[in-house]
Amino acid sequence: LQPLNTLLTDLCRVVDRAVRPEVISLWLPTSDGSGYRKTAQQGRQVDPGAEAPDVISEASPLATWLVLHRQLLLRDDPALADLSWQAAVTELGSLGAELAVPIGGDQELEGILLIGPKLSGDPYFHEDVALLGALAAEAAVALANARLHHDVVRAREQTEAILETMPSAVVVVNRAGQVEWFNDAAERLTGLHATSVRGRELPTSHPLAGLVRGTLGDGQIRHEEVELGGGSVPRVYLVCSVAPLVSPQGEVRGAICVGSDLSRVKELEAETRRVERLATFGAMASGIAHEVRNPLVAIKTHFQLLPEGCTCGAQEEQRQFAAMATREIDRIDTLLDRLIETRDLPRTTFAPVNLGEVLADTLLLLQARLSRDSITVVRELESDCWVQGDREQLEQLFLNLLVNAKEAVAGSGEIRVHCWARKGDLKTTAIVEISDTGPGISEAIQNTLFEPFVTTKSRGGGLGLAICRAIA
């Protein structure tokens, strides 16, 4: 609005210097188009009389006459005298003005300039009227340009605000491939800093650079999925659409790239595949458990009878062998039970559960084993951390995690159990964090950690975390 305000002030100043009136006021259309509002004024009426309005209605006699005739209105011009002129002159006098000058083009009235009597007391001569008419014509052009500039600036600001608040990455480059626009989402998703790429080409090694160069080269629209990050940087999956910016003459002037974050979709797809694999594995495990268990019973029975029927000198060795085989068969039987657990979790019954109490009871179950191994347990359990959940399954979940933590610290160390409620604007989230001072989890198995039979233990079955995930 600053250029427009400057223009209005300059216009009033020019008119003041030209005719030296007591007061000058400029009235511009209201935002709803219902009339004209006083926007600028210079000077002051000597005798304003009644309180003058700030808005001239579009249907008022003065506005109607100016729109119809598109010429200056003088209070003492009897040549134009008729009923409509008389009503307009009356309204003009009530506004404390001697002269009304319409400002506008052929299509609409851009404004009204009201001028009071001259300070000298002289009437307005033909030369004054001609000069004011010329000024009004120039003012109409200037007002139109100022409004156009204002509209362009406002449109640009709105566009910039939209682009900055978009959750998708937006990158705009010119014909030379130099970045002209790089919004906040682009900075967050691509791993590039806006200050390092604005006015420059995208790094050649960056996946987006090849897409942009291709579109600048052939002017074709591209839709591709790219993977960013990796290693120590979180992976981000973007589906990118790159389109050319074409001039009216058909020349490629640049390109715009819009990238939408697919990371959450990828996570859900991976979770769906994991669930499908677990379902398939569960069906297979059920069949295997049924088929293996029957012969195991028979084998175990024969091994238990083997020492009694042995009459050779190696009876003691046979007894040890039978005992070892029986133990291993029992371990296989336990493994079969855990396999079935991955398939058939008990039916969930939801009820209010205090997570702090569940964790305290679970730690009580492990207290003797933790004390024997000189393991220190640090508890940070909020007393008011409630969720809707299945208490038995949550106990099993936490028990598995705590047993893993105990085995990870290898006989001595510290386990920290933290439970708290994080309050947000729309919801409260309950968080349980179990950490230990063990060696951690190697990167090699982090992506497959919750798959069945994935383990770092020499005698582990690799099903504990698979069960934990199924419960969660």
Side-chain angles (χ1 to χ4, degrees):
L1 287 176
Q2 187 60 37
L4 181 59
N5 292 334
T6 303
L7 172 65
L8 300 180
T9 303
D10 290 344
L11 177 60
C12 291
R13 187 180 297 114
V14 170
V15 174
D16 179 59
R17 290 177 180 175
V19 295
R20 294 294 180 183
E22 294 177 359
V23 65
I24 308 163
S25 59
L26 185 60
W27 304 65
L28 298 182
T30 58
S31 58
D32 59 2
S34 62
Y36 303 87
R37 183 180 302 279
K38 185 191 295 184
T39 309
Q41 178 171 308
Q42 185 164 323
R44 181 174 58 86
Q45 288 102 329
V46 177
D47 185 15
E51 186 69 25
D54 287 333
V55 176
I56 299 174
S57 171
E58 185 183 28
S60 68
L62 177 60
T64 302
W65 194 94
L66 291 174
V67 170
L68 179 63
H69 295 278
R70 295 300 178 93
Q71 67 180 69
L72 284 77
L73 176 64
L74 272 169
R75 289 182 64 182
D76 57 353
D77 189 354
L80 299 174
D82 60 18
L83 291 178
S84 63
W85 175 84
Q86 187 62 49
V89 166
T90 301
E91 184 178 359
L92 185 64
S94 68
L95 293 169
E98 189 75 17
L99 177 67
V101 183
I103 301 174
D106 298 332
Q107 300 299 322
E108 59 182 2
L109 198 62
E110 294 285 346
I112 302 173
L113 186 63
L114 298 185
I115 304 174
K118 288 184 177 181
L119 290 171
S120 63
D122 294 334
Y124 285 96
F125 302 107
H126 291 294
E127 294 82 359
D128 298 325
V129 173
L131 175 60
L132 292 173
L135 288 175
E138 293 297 329
V141 175
L143 274 175
N145 290 336
R147 280 191 170 156
L148 179 61
H149 176 268
H150 173 256
D151 291 342
V152 169
V153 170
R154 184 172 59 180
R156 181 181 178 85
E157 290 174 348
Q158 290 176 341
T159 301
E160 291 178 354
I162 292 171
L163 292 177
E164 284 299 336
T165 56
M166 282 180 63
S168 300
V170 180
V171 181
V172 180
V173 300
N174 58 21
R175 184 69 185 89
Q178 297 167 334
V179 175
E180 294 185 345
W181 189 265
F182 202 83
N183 70 345
D184 291 343
E187 191 171 21
R188 173 173 51 85
L189 295 174
T190 64
L192 299 173
H193 294 290
T195 54
S196 66
V197 297
R198 283 199 178 105
R200 302 182 178 91
E201 295 185 36
L202 291 171
T204 306
S205 60
H206 200 277
L208 295 185
L211 294 177
V212 171
R213 282 197 303 269
T215 297
L216 289 175
D218 58 21
Q220 299 298 311
I221 297 176
R222 284 172 166 76
H223 301 284
E224 291 190 24
E225 184 178 311
V226 299
E227 179 182 342
L228 306 175
S232 59
V233 180
R235 291 188 183 276
V236 176
Y237 298 90
L238 296 181
V239 55
C240 295
S241 298
V242 186
L245 299 175
V246 183
S247 68
Q249 293 76 29
E251 179 185 0
V252 176
R253 294 288 183 84
I256 179 170
C257 174
V258 179
S260 300
D261 188 3
L262 289 182
S263 301
R264 180 56 181 160
V265 175
K266 290 291 185 181
E267 290 175 5
L268 293 175
E269 289 177 351
E271 183 67 22
T272 300
R273 289 194 296 270
R274 183 180 290 109
V275 170
E276 290 173 350
R277 287 197 301 271
L278 284 176
T280 303
F281 170 77
M284 180 183 68
S286 178
I288 292 175
H290 177 74
E291 295 297 328
V292 171
R293 212 163 226 156
N294 290 334
L296 275 182
V297 173
I299 294 171
K300 181 177 180 181
T301 302
H302 282 79
F303 272 119
Q304 289 172 338
L305 294 175
L306 184 61
E308 298 178 8
C310 179
T311 58
C312 62
Q315 185 175 5
E316 183 61 29
E317 289 81 357
Q318 292 285 356
R319 184 177 290 107
Q320 292 176 359
F321 171 76
M324 181 184 68
T326 301
R327 286 197 306 272
E328 292 303 309
I329 290 173
D330 288 339
R331 194 164 71 86
I332 294 174
D333 193 54
T334 301
L335 178 61
L336 292 176
D337 287 337
R338 299 185 73 179
L339 280 173
I340 295 173
E341 286 180 3
T342 64
R343 184 204 66 175
D344 296 325
L345 287 172
R347 184 179 298 275
T348 301
T349 303
F350 285 108
V353 177
N354 189 324
L355 292 179
E357 291 181 0
V358 174
L359 285 164
D361 292 345
T362 307
L363 287 170
L364 186 61
L365 290 175
L366 293 172
Q367 184 174 356
R369 295 167 63 182
L370 295 171
S371 300
R372 183 178 65 244
D373 293 340
S374 302
I375 296 175
T376 303
V377 178
V378 179
R379 308 184 187 199
E380 298 178 51
L381 308 178
E382 286 191 4
S383 60
D384 190 20
C385 191
W386 291 84
V387 297
Q388 287 288 332
D390 187 300
R391 185 184 180 94
E392 291 184 3
Q393 292 191 52
L394 287 171
E395 285 179 349
Q396 182 181 0
L397 168 65
F398 297 144
L399 181 62
N400 284 355
L401 294 177
L402 287 167
V403 168
N404 276 2
K406 170 192 172 297
E407 295 173 349
V409 297
S412 63
E414 180 182 279
I415 297 176
R416 183 177 296 272
V417 184
H418 188 188
C419 171
W420 77 98
R422 183 174 62 197
K423 299 186 183 298
D425 294 335
L426 300 178
K427 63 180 181 180
T428 300
T429 303
I431 301 174
V432 175
E433 183 178 272
I434 298 175
S435 59
D436 58 68
T437 56
I441 302 168
S442 67
E443 292 186 9
I445 67 166
Q446 284 187 14
N447 291 333
T448 59
L449 188 63
F450 295 100
E451 302 291 344
F453 302 117
V454 174
T455 182
T456 58
K457 305 172 187 175
S458 59
R459 297 180 59 84
L463 294 173
L465 289 181
I467 293 172
C468 287
R469 189 178 189 94
I471 292 173

